[in-house]
Amino acid sequence: PFKLLGILDVENIPCARDSVLYGSLGSVVAGLGHFLLTSRIRRSCDVGVGGFIVVTLGCWFHCRYNYAKLRIQERMAREGIKNKILYESTHLDPEKKPAAAAPEQS
């Protein structure tokens, strides 16, 4: 497995791989863009590191939010399927329509 800095297992942590890849691309774009505009090498390296941090964290939080939302939807679907199987053909089945009362004759 690939470990970033020896601690972050990028292969098994959801969203880690994409976040690091996008962060690297953001670092190159920010640093190179700043260098082309200002021709200051040290400041461009600082901007590149800042770009890496900002883009990585932005992608990480966006991906983890969507991942958590998907997990909640999956859990709700599993519970719905379990309830459907559990209550099917019983009086608690929400799809079962109650029998209409016979009209009174006078």
Side-chain angles (χ1 to χ4, degrees):
F2 177 70
K3 292 190 178 225
L4 186 67
L5 300 175
I7 55 170
L8 181 63
D9 189 9
V10 176
E11 200 172 302
N12 295 325
I13 298 174
C15 303
R17 178 180 177 267
D18 290 338
S19 298
V20 170
L21 288 175
Y22 285 128
S24 300
L25 181 65
S27 169
V28 169
V29 169
L32 188 61
H34 189 270
F35 177 74
L36 291 175
L37 291 175
T38 64
S39 297
R40 296 175 66 187
I41 296 173
R42 184 176 172 93
R43 179 60 60 110
S44 297
C45 291
D46 293 343
V47 168
V49 171
F52 175 79
I53 292 170
V54 168
V55 173
T56 302
L57 289 178
C59 289
W60 173 266
F61 287 122
H62 176 72
C63 184
R64 291 301 289 192
Y65 173 76
N66 288 334
Y67 183 75
K69 197 164 62 168
L70 181 67
R71 295 288 303 249
I72 290 170
Q73 290 171 347
E74 288 174 353
R75 188 176 338 124
M76 288 173 57
R78 269 196 304 275
E79 289 175 6
I81 291 170
K82 183 182 78 170
N83 288 339
K84 171 74 174 166
I85 292 170
L86 188 64
Y87 295 128
E88 192 171 31
S89 300
T90 65
H91 70 282
L92 298 173
D93 189 0
E95 291 183 5
K96 188 175 180 182
K97 298 192 186 329
E104 291 184 24
Q105 295 182 357
S106 32

